[in-house]
């Protein structure tokens, strides 16, 4: 009971309501994405964030809007959490010119400069040095901003990550490295890739402050992130946070999931991060059935609007092929 | 004759060679327990066990280099890249180690290794997952580069690649793995460096290789209806290039179109155009034309993919141009 009371003091009703609505939007958006993918409205590789929502929600609440964010290809929820209207993400996946990357990136390459979301990267681990570099620029320019650089558990075995960790720590760059450890990289469990199963310990090799976090609990994510962000802002450098989480769906839309049991998936669904937030709201009588319905209908309206917007938008015209390749307007492409 | 999928032809090539030579092993992401990201190695873990069919972490630079080291020390690794887009993480070990060791050791250490996996575009995957690097690897002395266009060739070429005493880059396509074809049950080898005339003709030569051969063949078929007889030469290997077969064909048809999925600058097409103008200048009745992917990253949208990739219509147009029709 004492614990619940503590929590009450730490986070306000408004905060919980915000978390709930934002996480529900991510969830419903991704469920819809899965549906329209099956209808072949969305093509290519498509990776859903369902189950992992607390990480983005707790990160957004613990950072400022000037801070920068970068992640891998499992990237629909991050920009939505940061405030990008979901219709621009849906239109991107529909390959429409109105998408946030003009239909050129698709599901794996969502970007929103306006929301300081630097993508959306498809090469496993490729964004890790980029995140350090974004932080390097903030430090160089003398801002107080930090960069949150997210990656999957599979990415930690890439050499680029270790090189970047070392330099980020040596140069005290304001970056928070977030491992979204959903226990699998495609069909490979973390245990099968190394003797080091506690991924947060990888930071210790570089004397980087590092710790595991319950990534299924938004309060825990927020608190860990808040501490890491404060460290980065005061010039004390990076932090490595291993968010322990789970993805309910397959790696991508084409994954038979032979590497795990249905029971395991069910076990995690029972600790659902969104239901936990709802339970806190209800326990404190901060929400009633009508309040829940209102949130649900707002979320539904946004998701429906996103699909409609994507459906009605046009594809890019062929001339777009030669646009956005160079910033120089008249670059002499080889055309024959 | 029995019909099998392209991926099965690759699997048979690897398995047949592995049964004969215990120093051959397969290593890569998801090759063992998951049976291959594209099911090329399906059943191989069950047959050969975890000593010889080895799952790796996502650590291309490391496992490519481990492969090269092992190859220099008595083994014959087959290293699978989930796609060649990810081989860029490993390219230092391919170019600076595999391709150089024999030369810089003065012939003491050869590197019998195969790097294989799918190359080029495979649907709407956007720019980081749609790149054709055949010409990049072909540019590097010390490597051999094989790009098969069908299951029969793939099997015979892969068997030769595995037996080759030098590093071979073997490039497939996600969009060919399901293709079915007659492949004999008896063992056979196809030598590296020898092109194949996939279709004989008299009016114009199309040179191509790999998956995009389908486009070349479709164009040739269309053109036949219009009374244009096309000879289609499948290079099969882009390092070394079988210039002899190409030049001979051009001497017969006097016109050449090269079709390739790479970007235009420094492509195999432009390389061939140089060689043909130099060695068969007097035989050419028209300038050589190249049909390649547009000189841009390949975006996600289908309208932009259509505007970029080689297709039959574009090849037909190029053929008509070299025929002044
Ligand atoms: C360098 C590289 N190698 C391989 C791949 C293919 N690939 C895409 S996602 C993935 C698994 C990554 O898993 P993880 O890092 O745990 O992220 P998650 O998908 O679980 O979010 C692999 C192997 C890639 N995109 N890049
Ligand atoms: Mg993972």
């Amino acid at each position: 009971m004492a614990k619940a009371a503590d929590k009450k003091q730490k986070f306000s009703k408004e905060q919980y309501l915000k978390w709930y609505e934002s996480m529900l939007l991510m969830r419903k958006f991704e469920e819809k994405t899965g549906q329209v993918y099956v209808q072949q409205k969305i093509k290519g590789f498509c990776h859903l964030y369902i189950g992992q929502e607390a990480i983005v929600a707790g990160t957004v609440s613990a950072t400022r809007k000037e801070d920068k964010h970068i992640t891998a290809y499992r990237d629909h929820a991050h920009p939505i959490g940061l405030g990008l209207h979901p219709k621009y993400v849906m239109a991107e996946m529909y390959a429409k010119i109105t998408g946030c990357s003009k239909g050129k990136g698709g599901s794996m390459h969502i970007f929103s400069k306006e929301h300081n979301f630097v993508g959306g990267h498809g090469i496993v681990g490729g964004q890790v040095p980029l995140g350090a570099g974004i932080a390097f620029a903030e430090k160089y320019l003398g801002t107080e901003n930090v960069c949150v650089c997210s990656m999957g558990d599979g990415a930690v075995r890439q050499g680029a990550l270790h090189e970047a960790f070392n330099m980020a720590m040596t140069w005290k760059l304001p970056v928070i490295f977030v491992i979204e450890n959903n226990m699998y990289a495609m069909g490979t469990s973390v245990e099968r890739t190394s003797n080091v199963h506690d991924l947060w310990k990888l930071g210790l090799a570089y004397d980087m402050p590092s710790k595991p976090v319950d990534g299924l609990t938004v309060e825990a994510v927020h608190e860990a992130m808040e501490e890491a962000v404060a460290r980065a802002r005061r010039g004390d450098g990076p932090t490595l946070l291993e968010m322990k989480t789970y993805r309910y769906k397959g790696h991508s839309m084409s994954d038979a999931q032979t590497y795990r049991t249905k029971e395991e998936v069910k076990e995690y669904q029972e600790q659902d991060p969104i239901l936990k937030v709802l339970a806190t709201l209800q326990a404190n009588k901060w929400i009633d059935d009508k309040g829940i319905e209102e949130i649900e209908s707002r979320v539904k309206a946004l998701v429906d609007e996103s699909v409609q917007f994507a459906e009605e938008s046009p594809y890019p015209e062929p001339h777009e092929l030669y646009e956005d390749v160079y910033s120089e307007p008249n670059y002499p492409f080889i055309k024959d | 004759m029995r019909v099998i999928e392209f991926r099965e032809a690759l699997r048979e090539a690897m398995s047949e060679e592995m049964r004969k030579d215990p120093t051959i092993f397969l290593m890569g992401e998801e090759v063992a327990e998951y049976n291959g990201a594209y099911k090329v190695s399906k059943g191989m873990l069950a047959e050969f066990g975890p000593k010889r069919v080895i799952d790796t972490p996502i650590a291309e630079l490391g496992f490519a280099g481990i492969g090269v080291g092992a190859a220099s020390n008595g083994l014959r690794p087959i290293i699978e890249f989930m796609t060649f887009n990810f081989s860029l993480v490993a390219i230092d070990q391919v170019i600076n180690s595999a391709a150089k060791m024999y030369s810089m050791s003065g012939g003491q250490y050869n590197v019998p290794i195969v790097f294989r996996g799918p190359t080029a575009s495979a649907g709407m995957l956007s720019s980081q997952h749609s790149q054709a690097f055949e010409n990049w690897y072909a540019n590097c002395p010390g490597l051999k580069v094989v790009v098969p266009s069908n299951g029969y060739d793939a099997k015979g070429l892969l068997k030769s690649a595995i037996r080759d005493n030098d590093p071979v880059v073997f490039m497939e396509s996600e969009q060919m793995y399901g293709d079915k074809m007659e492949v004999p049950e008896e063992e056979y080898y196809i030598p590296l460096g020898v092109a194949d005339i996939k279709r004989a003709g008299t009016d114009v030569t199309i040179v191509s290789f790999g998956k995009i051969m389908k486009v070349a063949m479709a164009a040739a078929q269309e053109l036949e209806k219009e009374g244009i007889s096309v000879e289609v030469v499948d290079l099969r290997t882009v390092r070394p290039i079988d210039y002899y077969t190409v030049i001979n064909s051009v001497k017969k048809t006097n016109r050449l179109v090269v079709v390739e999925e790479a970007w235009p600058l420094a492509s195999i097409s432009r390389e061939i155009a140089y060689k043909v103008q130099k060695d068969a200048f007097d035989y050419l009745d028209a300038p050589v034309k190249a049909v390649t992917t547009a000189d841009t990253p390949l975006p996600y949208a289908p309208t932009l993919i259509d505007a970029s990739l080689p297709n039959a219509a574009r090849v037909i147009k190029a053929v008509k141009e070299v025929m002044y029709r």
Side-chain angles (χ1 to χ4, degrees), chain A residues 9-303:
Chain A
Q9 284 169 357
K10 171 106 205 199
F11 300 108
S12 65
K13 171 184 167 187
E14 286 65 39
Q15 181 63 71
Y16 276 98
L17 285 170
K18 246 191 188 164
W19 277 335
Y20 181 62
E21 185 155 351
S22 138
M23 289 163 74
L24 194 68
L25 175 59
M26 296 174 207
R27 174 74 54 94
K28 295 294 167 194
F29 180 87
E30 291 289 65
E31 286 175 358
K32 181 59 86 178
T33 299
Q35 287 166 17
V36 294
Y37 189 93
V38 172
Q39 297 164 17
Q40 303 203 338
K41 305 277 190 180
I42 298 173
K43 301 282 183 58
F45 298 142
C46 182
H47 313 80
L48 303 181
Y49 203 66
I50 296 179
Q52 305 185 193
E53 297 90 346
I55 303 174
V56 167
T59 297
V60 171
S61 58
T63 49
R64 298 178 188 155
K65 77 175 196 327
E66 296 78 14
D67 293 328
K68 307 293 194 295
H69 301 259
I70 188 168
T71 191
Y73 47 81
R74 196 178 296 284
D75 63 348
H76 311 157
H78 301 73
I80 293 176
L82 289 166
L84 176 64
H85 193 299
K87 70 183 184 182
Y88 299 115
V89 182
M90 191 61 85
E92 185 58 34
M93 296 193 284
Y94 268 66
K96 300 299 180 70
I97 187 72
T98 54
C100 51
S101 306
K102 300 191 190 162
K104 298 182 181 187
S107 160
M108 296 192 287
H109 308 300
I110 305 298
F111 282 77
S112 176
K113 193 166 185 177
E114 185 189 339
H115 298 87
N116 287 323
F117 180 62
V118 197
H121 297 262
I123 304 302
V124 168
Q127 80 281 14
V128 179
L130 301 182
I134 291 164
F136 182 96
E138 297 292 351
K139 182 171 176 158
Y140 188 99
L141 296 169
T143 75
E144 281 209 325
N145 305 334
V146 306
C147 177
V148 179
C149 175
S150 306
M151 69 207 78
D153 45 279
V156 306
R157 312 304 181 196
Q158 281 286 15
L161 172 136
H162 293 272
E163 297 182 21
F165 274 19
N166 183 46
M167 285 181 271
M169 194 57 209
T170 306
W171 298 336
K172 297 270 190 298
L173 303 181
V175 53
I176 295 94
F177 295 111
V178 174
I179 303 169
E180 298 177 339
N181 181 1
N182 58 16
M183 299 173 37
Y184 297 94
M186 269 185 187
T188 304
S189 65
V190 169
E191 288 71 31
R192 292 180 51 226
T193 63
S194 172
N195 292 327
V196 184
H197 303 163
D198 289 323
L199 304 183
W200 60 273
K201 288 185 181 162
L202 294 175
L204 303 180
Y206 306 100
D207 284 348
M208 190 185 296
S210 304
K211 67 181 198 185
V213 181
D214 171 7
L216 297 168
T217 303
V218 69
E219 297 94 325
V221 173
H222 179 104
E223 282 169 7
M225 186 60 68
E226 198 171 44
E227 185 193 352
V229 167
R231 178 178 298 124
R233 285 206 214 288
R234 29 168 222 274
D236 288 344
T239 302
L240 173 61
L241 299 176
E242 179 195 350
M243 305 283 183
K244 295 190 185 288
T245 184
Y246 200 75
R247 62 165 156 77
Y248 297 176
K249 301 287 176 184
H251 165 73
S252 66
M253 294 301 294
S254 54
D255 176 2
Q257 301 183 55
T258 48
Y259 48 84
R260 65 182 187 184
T261 61
K262 289 212 167 66
E263 290 71 47
E264 182 184 291
V265 180
K266 197 163 158 270
E267 187 192 318
Y268 279 96
Q269 282 173 328
E270 279 161 8
Q271 323 168 38
D272 188 87
I274 305 181
L275 292 182
K276 277 195 241 175
V277 174
L278 182 59
T280 306
L281 282 167
Q282 288 174 319
N284 288 290
K285 301 212 168 20
W286 286 339
I287 199 164
D288 55 13
D289 288 352
K290 192 167 149 280
I292 295 173
E293 264 169 44
E294 275 170 19
I295 290 180
E296 282 173 355
S297 76
R298 274 203 299 273
V299 164
K300 186 172 181 311
L302 270 176
V303 173

Side-chain angles (χ1 to χ4, degrees), chain B residues 224-294:
Chain B
E224 188 176 27
K225 291 182 198 154
E226 300 183 34
I228 298 174
S229 163
V230 182
E231 177 144 305
V232 183
V233 177
D234 178 2
L235 289 178
R236 296 203 292 208
T237 301
V238 294
R239 186 180 190 100
I241 292 175
D242 181 359
Y243 293 114
Y244 179 82
T245 300
V246 174
I247 302 274
N248 269 352
S249 178
V250 172
K251 284 183 177 171
K252 186 170 74 172
T253 62
N254 313 112
R255 297 163 204 276
L256 175 62
V257 172
V258 194
V259 184
E260 173 182 16
E261 200 179 322
W263 294 301
L265 201 150
S267 57
I268 301 291
S269 336
R270 288 172 177 240
E271 157 64 24
I272 286 179
Y274 166 78
K275 189 73 173 162
V276 167
Q277 63 82 32
K278 184 174 140 301
D279 292 358
F281 189 77
D282 292 337
Y283 293 88
L284 283 174
D285 286 346
V288 178
K289 291 225 71 153
V291 179
T292 64
T293 293

